[in-house]
Amino acid sequence: QVQLVESGGGLVQAGGSLRLSCAASKSISGITSMRWYRQAPGNQRELVATVNSLNTTTYADSAKGRFTISRDNVKNTLNLQMNSLKPEDTGVYFCAAYTYVGGSLSQYWGQGTQVTVSS
């Protein structure tokens, strides 16, 4: 199992920046895919960004050009640099790890960190 703990959330004005981090309890070098999701009040959880074990990244259209996902396999952390924040970026941000355990894909989630962007 992998425990994930997010940090870095907070209150920021529109146009500002935040850097989220997700600390893993064990090595992430073998984890197939690591992701950031967010959930706004009343909305479903949505995928924001993904980075796989080859460091290939993908982004939701709403995040492209503003957010950067990265993984540090030495520090065992997943990061999300968020620039030019908008009020619609407000929500709880979760990190998730998808990895194969015994031939089956397992997923692990953090508890989330709140991001609030004021207009």
Side-chain angles (χ1 to χ4, degrees):
Q1 281 205 348
V2 180
Q3 279 77 49
L4 302 171
V5 179
E6 300 96 336
S7 62
L11 173 64
V12 64
Q13 287 189 332
S17 298
L18 282 175
R19 183 177 176 83
L20 306 183
S21 292
C22 173
S25 61
K26 58 191 295 185
S27 174
I28 66 170
S29 59
I31 291 180
T32 302
S33 175
M34 298 201 74
R35 307 175 186 183
W36 284 101
Y37 289 80
R38 70 182 175 200
Q39 187 167 20
N43 289 2
Q44 289 187 333
R45 195 170 294 187
E46 62 173 338
L47 178 62
V48 175
T50 300
V51 58
N52 66 15
S53 57
L54 299 177
N55 270 327
T56 301
T57 58
T58 58
Y59 296 92
D61 286 343
S62 60
K64 287 179 182 176
R66 300 187 299 126
F67 293 5
T68 303
I69 189 172
S70 61
R71 59 192 288 172
D72 186 328
N73 290 342
V74 174
K75 296 182 178 179
N76 297 321
T77 58
L78 176 71
N79 302 300
L80 185 68
Q81 178 66 42
M82 304 187 295
N83 299 327
S84 302
L85 283 162
K86 304 174 182 180
E88 51 263 44
D89 294 319
T90 294
V92 179
Y93 284 68
F94 300 88
C95 69
Y98 292 74
T99 190
Y100 285 92
V101 179
S104 299
L105 187 64
S106 297
Q107 51 181 290
Y108 304 94
W109 291 81
Q111 294 300 307
T113 185
Q114 176 71 45
V115 171
T116 304
V117 184
S118 63
S119 57

